[in-house]
Amino acid sequence: YWNSAGSFEQSKKDAKLTKAQRGGLTVVPNRRFALWWSPTINRSDVFTGYPNQIHFTGIYMYGKLETIKKSLIELFLPDRWERTHVGVVADISHKLKTDACLDELAVESVNVEQITPQKSYTFQSSAADLILLSRSSWRVSEHPSLLTELPQNDRYSGVTTSRKFWIDVQIRWGNYDEHNIADYAEKCFKAYTERGSVSRYPGTAGVVVAIDLAYNCCSAYGLSLIHI
């Protein structure tokens, strides 16, 4: 990664550039270094003020780190954060709409919800990105759990059933102190489904899928289901 041979600045070494362009080229290695280490430098536990959210993203800055901030702004503006969220939802929808998934899960249809662009970077409330409709009915688990806990610890109720199952996709940019994506998925599910929440879900049966773009990891927390 750090080998300059074949890099962008190396490719421009012999190009005809203006003095201003060549001066801007010298900051590329610094920007790349700052962006690579941003989850370690931009840490939540070493900052004693109020975090600032970068506009139109879900990234929070902890301190006056201008080089990192500029790099992140250039990476996600004007609407790349929103488009990333839309792309993830589209990928999940495409996978669920395959014949194998439809038959295995007994899904009648997979509906992609029309939501506001602000959904991907506002955290006071949330809404379903995908709604699955069952051909008959699903039995719903009694208690929410992590995706990795389902085979051992989850139990199903013979009474609670549902024909709808929602999926809420949450993307984030973690840091060294807050990169446990499983804990984040659980926190989101409990916060958005608690009594008094203004989140818009079509029912109680659903799951929050959380993805950390900085650490390239994901997890899911919520109710699970089986086909009757």
Side-chain angles (χ1 to χ4, degrees):
Y1 179 82
W2 298 111
N3 185 6
S4 60
S7 65
F8 173 75
E9 56 269 25
Q10 187 71 17
S11 66
K12 297 294 183 180
K13 182 178 180 181
D14 299 323
K16 294 182 179 180
L17 302 176
T18 66
K19 184 176 180 180
Q21 288 174 326
R22 196 163 296 280
L25 194 63
T26 61
V27 305
V28 172
N30 293 338
R31 291 280 184 88
R32 188 171 65 237
F33 179 87
L35 186 61
W36 178 265
W37 288 103
S38 63
T40 303
I41 300 172
N42 184 38
R43 296 174 56 180
S44 56
D45 287 358
V46 297
F47 181 60
T48 57
Y50 292 98
N52 295 313
Q53 185 176 3
I54 298 178
H55 293 306
F56 308 117
T57 74
I59 304 174
Y60 286 88
M61 297 300 301
Y62 301 93
K64 295 182 178 180
L65 306 169
E66 291 302 321
T67 300
I68 294 177
K69 184 176 181 179
K70 289 179 181 179
S71 298
L72 291 172
I73 288 175
E74 291 177 0
L75 181 63
F76 287 107
L77 290 183
D79 59 354
R80 290 194 185 99
W81 186 272
E82 176 194 339
R83 284 189 289 161
T84 300
H85 177 266
V86 172
V88 171
V89 173
D91 287 343
I92 296 176
S93 174
H94 178 74
K95 179 64 176 179
L96 291 173
K97 288 180 179 179
T98 60
D99 292 338
C101 284
L102 291 175
D103 293 338
E104 182 179 354
L105 300 175
V107 176
E108 179 180 325
S109 63
V110 178
N111 300 324
V112 179
E113 295 296 286
Q114 298 295 326
I115 57 176
T116 62
Q118 292 81 8
K119 191 262 180 184
S120 63
Y121 52 84
T122 55
F123 305 103
Q124 291 76 22
S125 63
S126 191
D129 292 295
L130 296 166
I131 297 179
L132 282 62
L133 298 179
S134 173
R135 294 173 185 169
S136 55
S137 194
W138 287 302
R139 288 165 58 194
V140 182
S141 60
E142 298 180 57
H143 307 290
S145 60
L146 286 170
L147 181 65
T148 53
E149 296 176 346
L150 295 181
Q152 296 82 16
N153 304 327
D154 212 354
R155 297 174 299 172
Y156 295 91
S157 169
V159 178
T160 304
T161 61
S162 176
R163 289 203 66 229
K164 289 184 179 182
F165 187 83
W166 53 263
I167 299 175
D168 180 6
V169 177
Q170 297 285 328
I171 60 174
R172 68 172 304 193
W173 187 271
N175 60 70
Y176 182 83
D177 300 315
E178 296 180 350
H179 65 274
N180 190 325
I181 194 63
D183 285 351
Y184 182 75
E186 180 177 354
K187 176 184 175 182
C188 287
F189 181 87
K190 292 181 176 179
Y192 296 147
T193 59
E194 67 180 1
R195 188 184 300 273
S197 173
V198 295
S199 297
R200 301 183 300 277
Y201 295 130
T204 58
V207 63
V208 170
V209 177
I211 301 174
D212 193 318
L213 301 179
Y215 282 87
N216 191 28
C217 58
C218 63
S219 185
Y221 186 90
L223 299 178
S224 55
L225 49 80
I226 57 174
H227 175 56
I228 294 180

